[in-house]
């Protein structure tokens, strides 16, 4: 456990690719002032640095697979320890597999709550194809999108059940998660207002 992080609120944001995690995190930061950490963004920054490591990561991400657990965990930990004055942390896109959650909690700190955005597969595909027209992300193409969805079903869906059993899950149900970002945010605020 990292003593510097004792007592800090830690919220995991979980959902399939294109479920709106980044969109909601932006709003949460603006209203509540948490420190936002996106595992995907951290990995893309490593890719952009042009390092050899970054090239390996890029290959894995283009296949829609998960990068090694240790890599992401170290990046998140470093970023958290560089921001210990934050009142809380939004960990976006992590954990992606149950083991990531367990390792995080044993080596960093335990999560306060897990926010889950439930969006139908076809809606996510449509959103990502649209985002791909302007995002420049190497993984926003139909083939990689399908692979990411497959990884989500296999590795990440169990994460949702894991935290539900612990009573930590705050779920945005499909009827809301598929409406407008403002409607989703109104529901998200119900969680953050009582933290
Ligand atoms: N209709 C609708 N569209 C949304 C909503 N949230 C996000 N989108 C759109 O869906 C796309 C994906 O949203 P992101 O916030 O980037 O999703 P993400 O979960 O961070 O996706 P990854 O980074 O791929 O994990 C974007 O183009 C958004 O404009 C929403 O609540 N309603
Ligand atoms: N916690 C994590 N563990 C392993 N790989 C991760 C990860 N977070 C992100 N990645 C890798 C695999 C993802 O397909 C890729 C892009 O992540 P992302 O931006 O969160 O998008 P998406 O949810 O659409 O896959 O980076
Ligand atoms: Mg994102």
């Amino acid at each position: 456990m990292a003593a510097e992080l004792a007592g800090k609120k830690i919220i995991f944001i979980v959902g399939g690719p294109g479920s709106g995690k980044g969109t909601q995190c932006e709003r949460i930061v603006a209203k509540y002032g948490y420190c936002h950490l996106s595992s995907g963004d951290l990995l893309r920054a490593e890719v952009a640095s042009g390092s050899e490591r970054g090239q390996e990561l890029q290959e894995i991400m283009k296949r829609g697979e998960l990068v090694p657990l240790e890599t992401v965990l170290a990046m998140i930990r470093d970023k958290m320890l560089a921001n210990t004055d934050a009142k809380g942390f939004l960990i976006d896109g992590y954990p992606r597999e149950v083991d990531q959650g367990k390792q995080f909690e044993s080596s960093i700190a335990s999560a306060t709550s897990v926010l889950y955005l439930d969006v139908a597969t076809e809606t996510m595909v449509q959103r990502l194809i649209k985002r791909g027209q302007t995002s420049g992300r190497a993984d926003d193409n139909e083939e990689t999108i399908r692979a990411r969805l497959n990884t989500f079903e296999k590795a990440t869906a169990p994460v949702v059940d894991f935290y539900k059993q612990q009573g930590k899950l705050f779920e945005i149900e499909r009827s809301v998660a598929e409406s407008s970002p403002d409607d989703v945010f109104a529901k998200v605020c119900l969680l953050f207002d009582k933290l």
Side-chain angles (χ1 to χ4, degrees):
M1 295 278 279
E4 306 91 310
L5 298 168
K8 302 284 183 190
K9 308 269 186 231
I10 296 178
I11 318 301
F12 290 150
I13 320 289
V14 176
S19 58
K21 302 180 294 291
T23 301
Q24 292 305 314
C25 283
E26 211 175 285
R27 288 168 158 77
I28 297 164
V29 170
K31 181 164 179 188
Y32 298 95
Y34 280 55
C35 173
H36 175 213
L37 264 100
S38 154
S39 52
D41 289 350
L42 291 172
L43 292 166
R44 282 186 286 278
E46 182 69 35
V47 172
S49 78
S51 68
E52 210 168 300
R53 184 84 234 238
Q55 285 182 10
E56 289 166 22
L57 296 173
Q58 167 97 305
E59 291 309 312
I60 298 172
M61 289 159 77
K62 272 203 219 146
R63 291 198 301 269
E65 294 169 4
L66 298 180
V67 311
L69 189 157
E70 297 73 24
T71 307
V72 200
L73 189 62
M75 284 178 170
I76 291 182
R77 188 189 167 88
D78 289 351
K79 191 87 194 238
M80 288 178 81
L81 292 174
N83 287 280
T84 48
D85 51 346
K87 73 171 182 193
F89 295 90
L90 296 175
I91 319 279
D92 164 7
Y94 187 101
R96 282 265 215 303
E97 52 188 348
V98 172
D99 259 1
Q100 287 190 357
K102 290 183 178 166
Q103 294 270 354
F104 180 101
E105 304 206 70
S106 63
S107 66
I108 304 182
S110 75
T112 313
S113 251
V114 179
L115 173 66
Y116 168 52
L117 298 165
D118 181 20
V119 173
T121 302
E122 273 319 305
T123 308
M124 295 194 274
V125 173
Q126 293 317 316
R127 285 183 185 180
L128 292 175
I129 288 173
K130 180 146 179 267
R131 188 176 75 183
Q133 291 165 359
T134 54
S135 71
R137 271 178 57 166
D139 58 355
D140 278 348
N141 62 77
E142 193 151 0
E143 194 185 342
T144 309
I145 292 167
R146 296 278 171 199
R148 284 150 72 198
L149 286 161
N150 192 31
T151 301
F152 174 72
E153 293 299 332
K154 289 209 174 87
T156 315
V159 169
V160 173
D161 295 333
F162 180 73
Y163 288 106
K164 194 177 216 167
Q165 278 164 21
Q166 293 183 22
K168 288 188 176 177
L169 197 74
F170 186 87
E171 179 168 349
I172 307 291
E173 72 265 32
R174 204 166 276 191
S175 59
V176 177
E178 296 201 344
S179 58
S180 70
D182 285 348
D183 288 349
V184 177
F185 187 57
K187 190 84 196 276
V188 166
C189 289
L190 299 179
L191 168 66
F192 283 85
D193 281 341
K194 62 179 171 48
L195 285 176

